Amino acid sequence: MSRHPYEPEPIRLEPLDFDTRDANCSKIFYKGYQIDPEIWFTNALAPQAVAICRSCPIILQCAEYALRNNIENGVWGGLTEQDRKEIRKRPRRKPNR
């Protein structure tokens, strides 16, 4: 089956290499708190999502995953879409040998 010429390529993400069960965002939904999941994907609500991420035990793994996979949308690991764009613009450091 061929794709329509204007249909974007599907995004291929690598599998998560960390356990998300202890993530603050997961706990919120599993425990039934009344928080709109759109806070992670709405720029105006991003500060609320970032605040939830700040105390998350997997914040670094989550941020690294989003950067490694070039995820453009939402708050991941306490980083907003704009934060990740700025990080990607920075020159990469060469590893020490």
Side-chain angles (χ1 to χ4, degrees), residues 6-70:
Y6 298 109
E7 185 178 337
E9 283 287 326
I11 297 172
R12 305 225 188 276
L13 300 176
E14 61 186 61
L16 290 174
D17 56 356
F18 53 94
D19 189 350
T20 61
R21 287 179 288 189
D22 290 330
N24 287 353
C25 55
S26 293
K27 288 178 187 177
I28 286 168
F29 297 115
Y30 292 133
K31 292 184 179 181
Y33 292 110
Q34 298 300 313
I35 293 181
D36 185 354
E38 285 300 308
I39 70 167
W40 276 270
F41 298 98
T42 305
N43 287 337
L45 300 174
Q48 293 175 22
V50 169
I52 291 169
C53 291
R54 279 196 188 118
S55 63
C56 184
I58 64 166
I59 189 172
L60 295 176
Q61 294 96 322
C62 188
E64 180 185 22
Y65 179 82
L67 289 166
R68 213 174 42 236
N69 284 280
N70 293 316

Side-chain angles (χ1 to χ4, degrees), residues 77-92:
L79 299 174
T80 64
E81 296 168 14
Q82 188 60 40
D83 294 336
R84 291 192 304 280
K85 283 179 187 175
E86 290 173 16
I87 289 170
R88 284 188 200 105
K89 288 180 189 175
R90 294 179 191 162
R92 294 182 141 226

